[in-house]
Amino acid sequence: MPSSPSSQTKSSQTGAPASVQGDGAPSGEPPPDEKGVMPFLDHLEELRWALLKGGIGVLITTVLAAVFSRWVVDTVLIGPTRPDFFMYQVLGFEAEELNLLNRTITGQFFADIGTILVVGMVAGSPVLVYYLWRFIEPALYPEERAGMKFASVSATFFFLLGIAFGYLILTPVALQFFATYEISAQISNQFDIITYFNMVTFWALGTGLLFELPVVVYFLSKVGLLTPDIMRTYRKYALLVVLVVGALLTPPDPFSQILVAVPLLLLYELSIGVSAYVNRQQARAVQ
């Protein structure tokens, strides 16, 4: 049957046929891509590529760590066991040399591989954070991008700062405590290589995660779960938590516990300032 003049007029005015649903009826809505909205599967594809590119960055740094594995193991892993490790001079320690033993067939192999993987992942983590930020950025409003960019840069900075503190300060102090601690002169301190590797990794990565406190406070303040007043009110409880965390991460001597507790308390005070900043920004946005 010939189409009506009105339908012919509509077709001629639009210059394109109306979009059709699966049942043949006009949908009346343009496809999602014509509206500028990316379909869900395309979002997954973008996320996959972001993770792939970030993973390639981590892989490259891991391969570089493997190429220079002798230096990585000798300097990074075994370095704190030597009296001439540069941080002992910085800290003013008369360090004793630690004796490492391998008590299992695969001990040295897994310590070698583990060190390469940890160094590669830590060195490549900024690349992964960068590509994740590139994935999230288009979905944000202009005023949100500055906050998220600050959060991603800060997360990387505080994580690396915490790792540096754990490796350069906490690890030498803890090792010397355990190296000189004895209950009898007949018992010599000799450390298994796998146990040593696990402890150094735990101290370094553990403090790296703890140093993320300002970033966590930033996000909790953004969603309204934290305010500077709440953090000031519970400051004394935070002090107790910091002391407990310091006791868990360090040897049981007061010096090592204070060594960890002081930067955590400083980070808590910094986090109060971060929360206050977020509250001011939100108040301005409302006005």
Side-chain angles (χ1 to χ4, degrees):
M1 186 174 71
S3 59
S4 64
S6 60
S7 63
Q8 291 176 357
T9 303
K10 282 185 178 180
S11 297
S12 63
Q13 288 175 349
T14 58
S19 58
V20 178
Q21 295 178 349
D23 57 1
S27 65
E29 292 289 336
D33 55 348
E34 293 181 10
K35 295 172 65 177
V37 179
M38 182 179 290
F40 176 71
L41 291 180
D42 288 349
H43 278 295
L44 290 181
E45 182 69 11
E46 288 289 326
L47 177 60
R48 185 177 74 88
W49 277 105
L51 293 175
L52 181 61
K53 292 176 182 177
I56 290 174
V58 173
L59 179 62
I60 291 173
T61 55
T62 303
V63 170
L64 289 175
V67 171
F68 298 99
S69 62
R70 292 304 93 199
W71 180 87
V72 169
V73 172
D74 192 58
T75 303
V76 177
L77 178 62
I78 305 179
T81 66
R82 300 192 182 97
D84 59 353
F85 185 58
F86 74 99
M87 283 305 299
Y88 291 126
Q89 282 73 43
V90 174
L91 298 172
F93 278 12
E94 289 292 336
E96 291 193 12
E97 187 168 4
L98 277 71
N99 297 315
L100 296 180
L101 298 177
N102 178 40
R103 302 180 186 277
T104 62
I105 295 176
T106 59
Q108 293 198 53
F109 173 79
F110 283 116
D112 187 15
I113 298 300
T115 303
I116 292 171
L117 291 177
V118 170
V119 171
M121 287 188 292
V122 170
S125 60
V127 180
L128 180 60
V129 171
Y130 170 76
Y131 280 108
L132 289 177
W133 159 248
R134 289 284 302 272
F135 168 73
I136 296 172
E137 184 183 19
L140 302 175
Y141 292 107
E143 62 272 13
E144 294 175 331
R145 290 178 184 174
M148 282 299 298
K149 188 174 183 179
F150 163 79
S152 59
V153 172
S154 299
T156 303
F157 170 75
F158 282 111
F159 180 64
L160 296 178
L161 180 65
I163 287 177
F165 177 85
Y167 175 74
L168 295 175
I169 297 179
L170 177 58
T171 294
V173 171
L175 287 178
Q176 286 303 307
F177 172 83
F178 288 119
T180 57
Y181 186 86
E182 62 179 23
I183 59 175
S184 172
Q186 292 181 307
I187 305 174
S188 62
N189 289 323
Q190 296 177 331
F191 302 99
D192 177 69
I193 182 63
I194 290 296
T195 303
Y196 170 79
F197 166 76
N198 290 337
M199 291 307 300
V200 172
T201 304
F202 172 73
W203 288 326
L205 295 183
T207 50
L209 294 176
L210 288 176
F211 271 50
E212 294 287 355
L213 177 62
V215 181
V216 174
V217 169
Y218 174 82
F219 282 107
L220 293 178
S221 299
K222 288 283 283 185
V223 298
L225 294 178
L226 268 185
T227 64
D229 292 335
I230 291 176
M231 296 188 69
R232 293 188 187 102
T233 301
Y234 291 97
R235 183 185 276 118
K236 57 184 178 181
Y237 301 107
L239 173 61
L240 179 62
V241 171
V242 163
L243 291 175
V244 171
V245 170
L248 292 174
L249 276 178
T250 61
D253 67 293
F255 177 74
S256 298
Q257 294 178 10
I258 293 173
L259 190 67
V260 174
V262 168
L264 289 181
L265 285 175
L266 293 176
L267 286 172
Y268 187 84
E269 295 300 322
L270 175 63
S271 299
I272 294 177
V274 170
S275 182
Y277 169 78
V278 172
N279 279 14
R280 288 195 300 269
Q281 292 295 106
Q282 290 176 336
R284 288 178 190 151
V286 172
Q287 294 174 356

